[in-house]
């Protein structure tokens, strides 16, 4: 009996000691890395929002400003329509006297809802925001048109006579450059330029065999040729066709300028050389052009003879140098193609 009581007392003491140990035991110290890892959800959200605002809003703002300056400085004073919703707004301003920025807002308001359906929420918001920036700036510039007339290139003199066609042509080229830069920025940032591209996307959903780019060009052409009935600078063919030809020049420059920016300034040429002298040619290319070469083993399907294919990327100025190297090996076949936007360790 005494043993049993003693055993129970000892078990009770051990239990109390264990409870006291649990109470006194301090929680393990948190690893600083774990604390940082447990926090960052809010920080990530804040950071991602700031990155989004910087990466998306800044290009949209820049594009809107450049578009507005191109229209105000070069397009409107030289009396031609550059195509798209910009061209429609410019023509309406010429016909009614109301600021083209207001017309841009009116035309693009319904297109915003079409864009939500055709191209997605993000693209619709960004493209419309760019138009809003352009419209707002055009309205502000229009309010101070007389004070800012010194910024406009071309236009009419004090007697109301329009400037010579040479100045208007330069205005069309410069306006095309501005609109091309704005277009490229929008396509890079959100994948669409808005305006007639949205209408083209809508038609493309119904008629899949018609490409968006071809439809956009068709809509732009309709706007350009409609300017025949809006601008009237003379009864002869020259006065009637001048606005159309200027618009076509502007559209061409816009397209080329946007292509240059989208394809990138870091362009090069890719050579593919089929040869039986891979070591000798590669050694010369590396030593003289300072560009590396990749060798691929191949088989000629006519002779079934083993061949080597050398692939190298060089600058445009080095084409003649590489051609001189290849001419030393008469049994060598080579061709080259342009390579746009070269990435990685490519030495200029």
């Amino acid at each position: 009996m005494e043993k049993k009581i003693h055993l129970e007392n000892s078990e009770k003491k051990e239990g109390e000691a264990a409870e006291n140990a649990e109470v006194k035991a301090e929680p393990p110290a948190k690893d600083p890395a774990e604390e940082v890892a447990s926090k960052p959800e809010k920080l990530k959200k804040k950071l991602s929002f700031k990155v989004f605002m910087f990466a998306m809003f800044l290009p949209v703002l820049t594009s809107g400003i450049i578009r507005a300056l191109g229209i105000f400085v070069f397009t409107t004073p030289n009396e031609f329509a550059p195509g798209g919703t910009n061209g429609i707004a410019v023509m309406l301003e010429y016909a009614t006297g109301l600021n083209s920025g207001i017309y841009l807002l009116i035309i693009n308001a319904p297109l915003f809802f079409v864009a939500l359906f055709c191209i997605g929420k993000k693209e619709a918001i960004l493209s419309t925001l760019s138009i809003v920036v352009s419209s707002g700036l055009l309205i502000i510039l229009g309010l101070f048109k007389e004070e800012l007339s010194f910024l406009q290139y071309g236009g009419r003199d004090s007697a109301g006579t329009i400037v010579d066609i040479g100045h208007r042509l330069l205005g069309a080229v410069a306006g095309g450059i501005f609109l091309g830069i704005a277009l490229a920025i929008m396509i890079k940032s959100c994948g669409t330029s808005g305006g007639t591209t949205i209408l083209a996307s809508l038609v493309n959903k119904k008629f899949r065999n018609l490409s968006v780019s071809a439809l956009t060009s068709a809509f732009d052409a309709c706007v350009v040729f409609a300017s025949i009935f809006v601008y009237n600078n003379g009864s002869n063919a020259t006065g009637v066709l001048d606005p159309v030809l200027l618009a076509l020049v502007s559209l061409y420059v816009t397209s080329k300028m946007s292509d240059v920016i989208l394809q990138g300034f870091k362009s090069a040429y890719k050579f593919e050389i089929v040869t039986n002298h891979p070591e000798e040619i590669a050694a010369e290319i590396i030593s003289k052009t300072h560009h590396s070469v990749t060798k691929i083993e191949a088989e000629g399907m006519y002779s079934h003879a083993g061949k080597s294919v050398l692939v190298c990327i060089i600058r445009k100025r080095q084409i003649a140098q590489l051609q001189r190297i290849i001419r030393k090996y008469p049994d060598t076949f080579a061709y080259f193609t342009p390579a746009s936007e070269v990435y990685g360790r490519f030495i200029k």
Side-chain angles (χ1 to χ4, degrees):
M1 188 74 176
E2 288 179 0
K3 279 187 179 181
K4 189 176 180 182
I5 292 169
H6 179 71
L7 194 62
E8 285 177 356
N9 288 335
S10 63
E11 286 176 357
K12 190 176 179 181
K13 286 180 181 179
E14 287 176 2
E16 287 175 355
E19 285 178 3
N20 291 333
E22 286 179 2
V23 171
K24 290 179 181 179
E26 294 181 358
K30 284 189 178 179
D31 186 5
E34 287 181 6
E35 285 185 1
V36 172
S38 63
K39 274 184 189 181
E41 281 308 315
K42 289 185 179 179
L43 288 172
K44 276 183 182 177
K45 284 181 182 177
K46 285 184 180 179
L47 186 61
S48 62
F49 179 73
K50 287 180 181 178
V51 170
F52 172 79
M53 289 297 290
F54 182 78
M56 293 298 180
F57 182 72
L58 187 61
V60 166
L61 180 65
T62 306
S63 172
I65 292 171
I66 292 172
R67 184 192 293 110
L69 290 175
I71 293 171
F72 179 80
V73 177
F74 299 108
T75 301
T76 304
N78 289 297
E79 299 180 8
F80 68 91
T85 55
N86 298 326
I88 296 172
V90 169
M91 282 194 294
L92 289 171
E93 177 179 356
Y94 180 84
T96 65
L98 193 62
N99 191 286
S100 59
I102 297 171
Y103 285 117
L104 264 182
L105 284 176
I106 294 170
I107 294 166
N108 283 280
L111 291 178
F112 169 73
F113 298 100
V114 177
L116 284 175
F117 171 71
C118 290
I119 59 176
K121 184 178 177 181
K122 173 189 154 190
E123 291 81 2
I125 292 171
L126 290 176
S127 59
T128 305
L129 187 59
S130 177
I131 295 294
V132 170
V133 172
S134 295
S135 303
L137 185 55
L138 283 170
I139 292 169
I140 293 169
L141 292 170
L143 293 174
F144 303 95
K145 191 172 182 178
E146 291 186 9
E147 292 83 350
L148 298 173
S149 59
F150 67 92
L151 291 175
Q152 293 186 306
Y153 182 87
R156 295 178 180 267
D157 57 22
S158 56
T161 305
I162 196 163
V163 297
D164 63 273
I165 190 63
H167 284 87
R168 295 178 72 196
L169 181 60
L170 290 174
V173 172
I177 291 172
F178 271 66
L179 294 175
I181 294 170
L183 174 64
I185 292 172
M186 282 306 301
I187 292 174
K188 271 203 166 189
S189 60
C190 67
T192 181
S193 59
T196 50
T197 306
I198 297 171
L199 291 176
S201 300
L202 181 63
V203 176
N204 175 258
K205 283 186 174 292
K206 182 70 175 175
F207 303 98
R208 292 291 183 182
N209 57 321
L210 300 174
S211 70
V212 173
S213 59
L215 287 167
T216 303
S217 299
F219 287 138
D220 289 343
C222 291
V223 173
V224 169
F225 286 104
S227 64
I228 294 175
F229 306 101
V230 176
Y231 298 103
N232 185 12
N233 296 320
S235 57
N236 58 5
T238 302
V240 173
L241 291 177
D242 272 353
V244 175
L245 298 176
L246 290 170
L248 292 175
V249 169
S250 180
L251 280 173
Y252 177 79
V253 175
T254 298
S255 174
K256 288 297 178 184
M257 191 68 200
S258 63
D259 285 346
V260 167
I261 295 172
L262 291 171
Q263 290 174 3
F265 292 100
K266 196 178 179 182
S267 58
Y269 283 82
K270 180 178 79 169
F271 265 81
E272 292 191 0
I273 307 162
V274 182
T275 181
N276 290 321
H277 312 279
E279 301 299 332
E280 298 93 327
I281 295 175
E284 278 201 69
I285 292 173
I286 293 169
S287 64
K288 291 181 179 178
T289 67
H290 304 290
H291 290 292
S292 186
V293 181
T294 300
K295 184 174 80 169
I296 303 169
E297 294 300 334
E299 180 184 348
M301 295 308 294
Y302 180 76
S303 62
H304 293 283
K307 298 278 185 180
S308 294
V309 179
L310 301 179
V311 181
C312 63
I313 308 294
I314 61 169
R315 285 289 177 198
K316 186 177 181 179
R317 64 177 180 271
Q318 296 173 317
I319 291 175
Q321 191 176 25
L322 192 57
Q323 287 173 334
R324 286 194 292 270
I325 295 171
I326 294 169
R327 286 195 194 104
K328 297 178 184 177
Y329 306 91
D331 57 343
T332 295
F333 169 76
Y335 64 92
F336 66 93
T337 55
S340 301
E341 198 67 24
V342 181
Y343 294 96
R345 297 180 63 187
F346 180 69
I347 302 170
K348 294 182 180 181

